[in-house]
C-alpha cells in the first residue's frame, strides 16, 4: 500500500537505487529482482554507495525541478512570456496561480521534496555504513547536503517557510508544520557549511567537466544564501573564496556554457551533451508554423546597451506572422546523438554570478571601489566600458540591471531578485494588470493541505 504524505503525492521508482533504499515495511516480503540490491547492502561499499549518490545528479526530480523552476520563475517575473493557450501557464504569466494548479505542486514542491527525501536516505545509509572509507563518506555526505540545501533554497524563495525534514520514515514526515523562513535558512546554512568542510576543493572524476559537487560549489551557493539574507559581510567573504580559489576564470561569451567552460563551478552532465534547457527554452519555429512557446519580453531586450555583446551572443530571434520573437540562446546545441555528441551540459553555478554577488555585497557595505571593480568584470566580458555609477544607490541599481542581463534564463534568479530587493511591486505592477503583492509567494497546493491539516496557506489564496 502506498502512503501519501505532505511532500509528494506519489513516490516513483528510481531504478535500482530508490527501490533498494525504500524504508517502507511490507507485510509480505518478496525476493528482490536480480537487478536490485537490498537497502542494507547499498552502502556496504564505496562503489555501491557512490552509485546510489550519483543518481542525485540525473534523478528526474532534481533535473525537472531545476528546469521547471526556471520556466515558472521566468513567467512569474518580467523575463518570459508564454505564447501558448495553456491555462495553467497563463496563471504564472499573470501571477494569479491558483492553489489547484498542479504545476507548482508537482514540479516545485513535490520534486523538491522527493530529492530532499533521497538526500535523507543517502545520509542515513552513510551514517549506518560500516564498509565505506572515510574520504568517500565525506564526499557523498557533502554532495547530499549540497543538494538538500539547494532544494530548500528554492522552496523557501518560492513559498516562504516550508516543512523541514531529515527523517527517512514517511509517517514521521506526514504532518510536519511549516517552519519559519529563518528556520529554513538555518537548515540551508548548516547543510552548506557541512558540505564545505566535507568536500574537497578538487573535483572527483574529470576536473575539466566539473560534474561532481566540490567545496567551491558549496561555497558559491552559501554566498548566494548569505546575500539573500542580507548578511553582506559573509556573502562577500564566501564569494571571495570562490573567486580567489584560482580554479575558475571568466570565459568568453561564446564559451560560457560549453561543458569545458573555465567559468563553470558546477554543471549537471547530460547523456549526449545537450543541455536540459536547450530545446525546452529555445523552441524553434523555423517552419513558421507557430511562435516559440516561451519568449523574452520585448522590453527585456531593450535593456541591453548598444554594444552589449550578450544580446548578440545569448539572445536570438525568429519571426512568425510578421511578429519578431526574442528567445534565450545561451545554449546552442539543439540535438545530438551517440554518434554526434554535443558539448553542452546544464550549468548550475558559474563564476559570473559570484562577481555579481560580491559586487552587491560590497556596495551594500559602502565599498564603492570594490563594487565597481566587480561589476566591471562582468561589463568588460560583455564588451562594455566601466560602470559610471559612483554612489551606493546608483551602484545597486546598476548591479540589479547587470544581474538581469547576465543571469536571465538561469533558474529563477530574476524572480527571486525582484522579491528580495523589494522591487517586485513597482516593476511587475507596472507590467501586469493582475499583479498583487501577495503573488510574491506561490500558493501551497490544495492537495497538500488536504493531506496535512498542519499546513497553512499563504496570504491571498484563501
Amino acid at each position: 500500500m502506498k502512503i501519501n504524505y505532505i511532500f509528494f503525492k506519489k513516490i516513483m521508482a528510481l531504478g535500482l537505487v530508490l527501490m533498494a533504499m525504500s524504508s517502507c515495511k511490507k507485510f509480505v516480503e518478496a525476493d528482490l529482482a536480480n537487478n536490485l540490491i537490498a537497502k542494507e547492502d547499498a552502502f556496504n561499499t564505496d562503489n555501491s554507495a557512490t552509485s546510489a549518490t550519483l543518481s542525485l545528479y540525473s534523478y528526474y526530480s532534481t533535473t525537472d525541478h531545476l528546469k521547471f523552476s526556471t520556466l515558472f520563475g521566468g513567467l512569474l517575473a518580467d523575463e518570459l512570456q508564454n505564447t501558448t493557450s495553456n491555462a495553467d501557464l497563463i496563471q504564472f504569466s499573470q501571477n494569479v496561480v491558483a492553489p489547484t494548479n498542479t504545476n507548482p505542486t508537482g514540479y516545485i514542491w513535490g520534486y523538491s521534496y522527493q530529492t530532499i527525501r533521497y538526500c535523507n536516505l543517502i545520509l542515513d545509509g552513510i551514517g549506518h555504513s560500516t564498509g565505506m572509507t572515510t574520504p568517500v563518506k565525506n564526499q557523498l555526505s557533502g554532495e547530499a547536503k549540497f543538494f538538500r540545501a539547494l532544494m530548500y533554497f528554492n522552496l523557501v524563495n518560492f513559498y516562504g517557510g516550508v516543512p523541514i525534514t531529515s527523517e527517512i520514515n514517511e509517517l514521521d514526515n506526514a504532518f510536519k508544520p511549516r517552519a519559519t523562513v529563518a528556520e529554513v535558512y538555518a537548515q540551508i546554512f548548516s547543510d552548506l557549511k557541512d558540505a564545505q568542510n566535507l568536500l574537497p576543493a578538487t573535483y572527483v572524476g574529470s576536473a575539466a567537466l566539473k560534474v561532481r559537487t566540490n567545496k567551491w560549489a558549496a561555497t558559491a551557493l552559501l554566498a548566494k544564501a548569505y546575500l539573500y539574507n542580507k548578511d553582506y559581510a559573509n556573502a562577500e567573504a564566501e564569494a571571495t573564496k570562490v573567486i580567489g580559489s584560482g580554479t575558475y576564470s571568466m570565459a568568453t561569451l561564446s564559451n560560457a556554457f560549453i561543458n569545458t567552460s573555465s567559468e563553470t563551478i558546477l554543471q549537471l552532465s547530460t547523456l549526449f551533451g545537450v543541455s536540459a534547457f536547450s530545446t525546452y527554452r529555445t523552441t524553434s519555429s523555423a517552419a513558421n508554423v507557430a511562435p516559440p512557446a516561451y519568449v523574452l519580453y520585448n522590453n527585456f531586450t531593450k535593456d541591453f546597451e548598444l554594444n552589449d555583446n550578450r544580446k548578440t551572443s545569448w539572445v536570438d530571434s525568429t519571426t512568425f506572422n510578421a511578429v519578431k520573437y526574442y528567445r534565450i540562446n545561451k545554449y546552442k546545441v539543439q540535438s545530438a546523438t551517440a554518434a554526434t555528441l554535443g558539448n553542452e551540459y546544464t550549468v548550475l553555478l558559474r563564476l559570473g554570478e559570484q562577481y555579481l554577488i560580491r559586487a552587491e555585497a560590497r556596495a551594500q557595505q559602502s565599498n564603492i571601489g570594490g563594487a565597481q571593480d566587480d561589476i566591471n568584470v562582468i561589463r568588460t566580458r560583455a564588451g562594455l566600458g566601466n560602470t559610471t555609477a559612483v554612489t551606493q544607490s546608483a551602484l545597486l541599481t546598476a548591479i540589479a540591471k547587470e544581474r538581469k542581463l547576465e543571469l536571465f534564463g538561469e533558474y529563477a534568479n530574476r524572480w527571486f531578485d525582484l522579491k528580495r530587493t523589494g522591487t517586485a511591486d513597482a516593476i511587475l505592477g507596472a507590467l501586469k494588470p493582475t499583479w498583487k503583492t501577495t503573488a510574491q509567494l506561490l500558493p501551497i497546493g490544495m492537495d497538500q493541505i488536504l493531506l496535512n491539516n498542519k499546513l497553512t496557506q499563504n496570504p491571498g489564496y484563501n
Side-chain angles (χ1 to χ4, degrees):
M1 181 178 69
K2 179 179 67 181
I3 301 175
N4 280 322
Y5 54 110
I6 65 172
F7 298 143
F8 38 93
K9 293 184 288 185
K10 59 184 178 180
I11 304 172
M12 302 180 71
L14 180 66
L16 98 157
V17 176
L18 193 56
M19 292 179 68
M21 295 171 64
S22 173
S23 62
C24 297
K25 287 291 185 180
K26 309 292 191 299
F27 289 105
V28 177
E29 294 289 349
D31 291 336
L32 286 171
N34 291 333
N35 64 333
L36 301 180
I37 58 175
K39 174 189 177 249
E40 56 269 22
D41 296 327
F43 292 90
N44 269 354
T45 68
D46 287 350
N47 286 340
S48 61
T50 297
S51 295
T53 304
L54 285 181
S55 297
L56 266 177
Y57 291 86
S58 57
Y59 188 15
Y60 72 90
S61 72
T62 304
T63 57
D64 280 2
H65 163 75
L66 295 172
K67 183 168 69 174
F68 282 100
S69 65
T70 301
L71 168 63
F72 297 152
L75 293 174
L76 289 166
D78 58 343
E79 187 174 88
L80 283 181
Q81 287 181 292
N82 162 48
T83 67
T84 73
S85 59
N86 184 296
D88 286 345
L89 292 179
I90 290 171
Q91 289 183 13
F92 284 93
S93 296
Q94 297 178 347
N95 298 90
V96 291
V97 180
T100 53
N101 190 324
T102 58
N103 284 285
T105 298
Y107 295 120
I108 299 180
W109 179 280
Y111 279 0
S112 293
Y113 276 115
Q114 283 183 250
T115 298
I116 288 168
R117 179 174 185 263
Y118 192 37
C119 292
N120 292 340
L121 287 166
I122 291 168
L123 292 167
D124 180 75
I126 293 170
H128 288 91
S129 174
T130 58
M132 294 173 62
T133 62
T134 298
V136 174
K137 278 189 173 184
N138 290 344
Q139 172 74 37
L140 303 186
S141 296
E143 289 175 283
K145 291 196 172 193
F146 170 86
F147 276 103
R148 187 167 68 181
L150 177 63
M151 293 299 113
Y152 277 126
F153 180 84
N154 285 344
L155 281 168
V156 76
N157 281 288
F158 273 114
Y159 290 100
V162 294
I164 299 173
T165 176
S166 58
E167 294 85 359
I168 63 170
N169 189 322
E170 291 90 340
L171 290 178
D172 290 337
N173 300 328
F175 303 105
K176 293 271 189 180
R178 297 177 67 174
T180 65
V181 169
E183 289 169 337
V184 177
Y185 267 110
Q187 177 66 48
I188 293 168
F189 291 135
S190 175
D191 275 347
L192 291 177
K193 289 175 183 177
D194 284 349
Q196 270 187 317
N197 292 326
L198 290 165
L199 291 165
T202 55
Y203 287 92
V204 174
S206 173
L209 293 179
K210 304 166 189 169
V211 294
R212 294 278 299 274
T213 306
N214 70 346
K215 178 188 293 289
W216 303 128
T219 305
L221 185 56
L222 184 58
K224 187 171 186 173
Y226 277 132
L227 182 74
Y228 277 46
N229 272 259
K230 296 180 169 49
D231 185 344
Y232 301 119
N234 275 319
E236 178 185 5
E238 299 303 323
T240 297
K241 292 176 185 177
V242 179
I243 294 167
S245 69
T247 307
Y248 315 100
S249 61
M250 295 293 285
T252 62
L253 292 173
S254 59
N255 287 338
F257 294 92
I258 64 172
N259 57 15
T260 55
S261 171
S262 62
E263 187 175 349
T264 298
I265 299 171
L266 180 65
Q267 60 187 345
L268 303 180
S269 65
T270 59
L271 183 60
F272 297 135
V274 182
S275 170
F277 293 160
S278 181
T279 55
Y280 187 81
R281 303 279 290 168
T282 58
T283 304
S284 173
S285 61
N288 203 39
V289 295
Y294 310 108
V295 298
L296 289 166
Y297 276 94
N298 280 333
N299 60 354
F300 184 99
T301 61
K302 293 176 183 177
D303 277 352
F304 288 102
E305 294 176 37
L306 182 62
N307 297 316
D308 193 330
N309 292 328
R310 289 173 296 193
K311 183 176 180 180
T312 55
S313 185
W314 291 352
V315 177
D316 71 352
S317 64
T318 187
T319 300
F320 174 73
N321 285 347
V323 178
K324 191 173 187 178
Y325 295 96
Y326 292 95
R327 305 176 299 189
I328 298 169
N329 192 38
K330 288 183 170 179
Y331 294 99
K332 316 299 183 187
V333 180
Q334 296 294 305
S335 63
T337 66
T340 59
L341 293 176
N343 66 340
E344 294 174 346
Y345 291 158
T346 301
V347 177
L348 189 58
L349 295 165
R350 61 186 180 90
L351 185 63
E353 184 179 11
Q354 293 300 300
Y355 275 109
L356 289 168
I357 287 171
R358 193 170 71 173
E360 185 175 342
R362 285 175 165 179
Q364 290 285 2
Q365 297 174 92
S366 300
N367 180 353
I368 303 302
Q372 289 172 326
D373 289 343
D374 284 339
I375 194 174
N376 286 338
V377 171
I378 301 300
R379 290 179 60 83
T380 298
R381 196 259 297 270
L384 300 172
N386 288 344
T387 182
T388 58
V390 295
T391 66
Q392 182 186 56
S393 176
L395 267 171
L396 290 172
T397 299
I399 291 164
K401 182 178 178 181
E402 291 301 329
R403 285 185 64 87
K404 176 181 180 180
L405 300 178
E406 179 73 18
L407 302 176
F408 68 95
E410 298 179 52
Y411 311 102
N413 281 308
R414 177 61 176 170
W415 174 235
F416 294 167
D417 280 352
L418 290 173
K419 298 192 300 174
R420 71 179 180 82
T421 59
T423 56
D425 284 340
I427 292 174
L428 299 182
L431 182 66
K432 304 183 182 186
T434 51
W435 171 259
K436 294 181 180 179
T437 191
T438 51
Q440 294 185 57
L441 294 177
L442 287 175
I444 305 296
M446 187 58 66
D447 55 348
Q448 300 303 305
I449 291 177
L450 290 174
L451 287 170
N452 177 11
N453 60 14
K454 290 188 178 180
L455 285 178
T456 56
Q457 186 57 273
N458 278 325
Y461 296 104
N462 289 314

